[in-house]
Structures are given as structure tokens and as C-alpha cells.
Amino acid sequence: MDYKDYYAVLGVAKDASSAEIQKAYRKLARKFHPDVNKKPEAETKFKEINEAHEVLKNEEKRAKYDQFGSAWQQSQQTGAPPPGYEDIFTVFTSGADNRAGFDFGGEGFSSFFDMLFGSGHGQGGPRATWSTGPTRPTQQAGVDHEASISLTLAEAASGGERELTLTDPATGRHKTLRVKIPKGIRSGQKIRLPGQGGSGRGASPRGHLFLNVDILPDSRFRLEGNDLYTTLPVTPWEAALGGQAKVSTLEGDVTVKIPPSSSSGRKIRLKEKGFPAIKGPAGDLYAEIRILVPKQLTPDEKDLFEKLAEESKFQVRN
């Protein structure tokens, strides 16, 4: 397994932040995407970019890669360093004190991993091979993959099916999946798609694909727990005298009564009209009254407000 410098592939420093890695990936992906760049080498470059991004964007995978290089996947699957990693790494980094006398052929870190995983004859000529522990398993389950899926508040609330197109980071190929969205799913939860991950070794099954759910902000509602909050604008006379108004819910508009003598901030509760729970009843919807006045008064409106100010004994600052 040749060592691949994923940082060099993306053109970032090894201490680059997640934001810097994402920015570099997007720039290169646009440049080398096969649909845009028709050069023969563009597809290969695009695959390398996706492979590097898939590892470096994930903190756990990146840490494994920084520690084990190209062997990070084997370490992730087994939960332990590659067989003999500790001993060989000591020999490799010993420099002039190369007690074992292995020939690295001047190729440095890449050759080290060639030797570690038995590539035999590489560019630098014959390589030493040895066994320091258990042989690699002939059967091994495929690795799990992760991706993100963004849902509107209404989509997350209602559930259902959605078509999702994903790009395989290893091959650059696209595949389309139909994903079942559970009703009432929340941001941070995962949707598991069995058998849509990496290929298994031998007769072992494929890994799984986990979709990390992100619910997009909604201009109408604020979600707190399972309760939804929305704003109900009313006129001064509706607030004073009461009335009726339409309120938006996730299921459509409903008509509510505005109680007389309502001040801004008063909440009208609509039971179980909030966000659905995966188990149990849905939350409530709270319509918060907000009193608005005309931006510009007509002469008659101004006259009426002036009369009200003269007649009213109501004091708000005492």
C-alpha cells in the first residue's frame, strides 16, 4: 500500500483546520470534476481529491491517518495498530541506528508502508518481507461510511421517502438511493442504510452507510424540544378588542381566537400542533402575539389615535 499524502493532494498544511480542508476540497472538486474537466487525468485526480477529503474531514479518521498513514483503515476496522506496526516503526525512524539493516531504497515513508504490507518489488527494487504477527484476515466486514443529509423542518416532521445522490469517494462514481425518513427525526440523529458502505473482504458483508441528519432553519417556526414557536402579528385594535386570525402550522393554516386585552408576548397554545415525537404525542405550537402599528398613519387614523390618547387613562410606565 503506497503512502498517499492526503494533505498534499488537497494542498493544505498538516495542521489545517476543518474549514480550510473543506474550502480546499470544494475548490479542487469544482476544477477536476469529470463533468467540467474533460482531460483524461481529471477523473483520476477527482478520485484522489474525494479520497483525501473523505479521510481528513472526519476527526477520527484523520487521527488514524496521521498515526498510521495509508494503513489507517485497517487500524479502524480492527481497533488496533497494524500487525508489527510498533516494532517496524521503531526500526524505520531509527535513522543511522538501523540495527535490522533493512534497505529503504531512499524512498522514505512510502517504502516503509510498502514493506509493512508486503508489496514485494516496488520502484526502489526488491524489498525485505517478514511476518511479525497474525496474518491479515481473508474475511473482513466492509467499513462503514458516513454522509450528511439536510432536511426542511416539514420533511423531518412528516417523514417519508427521499431520493439521495451520493459520490463514492474511492471511485468518484455517483449512486442514487431512496432513503426512508422516519417521522419526527431530529438534527444530530443518524439514518442507517445497511449494506451501502464499503465492500467486505472475501464473503464478508458490506459495511453500512450512516446519514447524519441536519434540519435546516425555518423562517416560520422555532423548534424547542418538541414544541414549535411562531409569531402572530396583530393590530392594536385586535389586541385591545380581540378577534380571529390565521396561524400557520406544519399541517396547514388554522384559525385561532385572539383574546381581548392581549399584549405583545402573550402566547396562544395549539395543543399537539408542534413537532411530532418518534414515540408519544406531538409537541405543542405556541403563537406569540406581536402588536404592529401602521408605518404611516392616514389623517383619520392619526385623529383617532389622538382622541384615544386623550380619553384613555391607561398608563404603561407607572
Side-chain angles (χ1 to χ4, degrees):
M1 182 182 298
D2 292 335
Y3 173 68
K4 296 182 181 180
D5 189 340
Y6 290 150
Y7 295 101
V9 170
L10 295 182
V12 296
K14 290 190 175 182
D15 60 351
S17 65
S18 297
E20 290 172 330
I21 289 172
Q22 189 69 11
K23 181 179 179 181
Y25 164 73
R26 288 177 176 174
K27 181 179 179 181
L28 291 171
R30 285 195 297 267
K31 180 178 179 181
F32 291 101
H33 196 287
D35 292 342
V36 177
N37 194 326
K38 301 302 181 181
K39 293 183 179 180
E41 66 274 13
E43 184 174 354
T44 301
K45 183 66 176 178
F46 184 70
K47 292 178 183 178
E48 292 177 351
I49 293 166
N50 277 283
E51 181 181 342
H53 177 249
E54 181 66 21
V55 175
L56 298 185
K57 73 176 183 179
N58 183 289
E59 291 185 6
E60 182 180 351
K61 292 179 182 179
R62 182 177 178 181
K64 293 288 186 183
Y65 170 77
D66 288 343
Q67 185 176 5
F68 301 120
S70 299
W72 72 271
Q73 273 191 312
Q74 182 185 7
S75 173
Q76 185 181 50
Q77 291 169 346
T78 62
Y85 171 83
E86 298 86 349
D87 295 338
I88 300 169
F89 190 74
T90 301
V91 173
F92 175 72
T93 56
S94 61
D97 187 24
N98 186 355
R99 294 182 295 275
F102 295 122
D103 172 26
F104 293 100
E107 292 186 31
F109 205 49
S110 180
S111 298
F112 157 64
F113 279 102
D114 286 347
M115 295 168 61
L116 177 59
F117 292 104
S119 64
H121 293 70
Q123 295 178 351
R127 298 291 180 224
T129 60
W130 63 89
S131 174
T132 58
T135 57
R136 295 178 69 184
T138 57
Q139 293 191 9
Q140 184 171 298
V143 296
D144 295 335
H145 290 168
E146 291 188 1
S148 297
I149 181 171
S150 296
L151 303 173
T152 65
L153 189 66
E155 287 174 331
S158 62
E161 285 193 347
R162 177 169 171 180
E163 195 171 86
L164 182 67
T165 301
L166 299 174
T167 301
D168 189 328
T171 64
R173 295 178 180 175
H174 305 292
K175 61 179 179 180
T176 301
L177 304 173
R178 293 201 67 82
V179 181
K180 185 175 182 180
I181 310 296
K183 182 178 180 179
I185 196 164
R186 305 297 294 271
S187 283
Q189 293 182 330
K190 297 177 185 290
I191 300 173
R192 176 174 171 267
L193 302 180
Q196 296 295 334
S199 299
R201 186 186 300 278
S204 296
R206 295 180 65 94
H208 307 311
L209 174 62
F210 291 91
L211 300 178
N212 298 310
V213 175
D214 178 37
I215 298 180
L216 300 171
D218 192 291
S219 60
R220 300 171 300 163
F221 305 107
R222 182 178 80 255
L223 179 60
E224 293 184 9
N226 284 340
D227 294 332
L228 290 175
Y229 292 81
T230 189
T231 300
L232 175 60
V234 301
T235 62
W237 43 95
E238 286 176 325
L241 303 175
Q244 292 185 337
K246 287 186 178 181
V247 173
S248 294
T249 76
L250 289 173
E251 299 171 347
D253 292 344
V254 297
T255 300
V256 299
K257 290 184 178 181
I258 303 171
S261 301
S262 292
S263 298
S264 286
R266 183 171 187 172
K267 297 179 179 66
I268 301 173
R269 175 174 174 253
L270 285 74
K271 187 177 180 181
E272 296 185 9
K273 290 294 185 180
F275 196 79
I278 294 180
K279 293 183 179 180
D284 299 327
L285 172 63
Y286 292 90
E288 184 174 334
I289 290 176
R290 182 181 178 190
I291 301 173
L292 300 179
V293 298
K295 291 184 177 180
Q296 188 172 355
L297 297 174
T298 66
D300 289 341
E301 288 173 333
K302 184 177 180 181
D303 184 55
L304 290 171
F305 274 111
E306 287 175 345
K307 290 180 179 179
L308 177 62
E310 292 174 359
E311 294 292 332
S312 178
K313 306 301 181 185
F314 180 57
Q315 298 292 325
V316 297
R317 289 178 292 277
N318 283 342

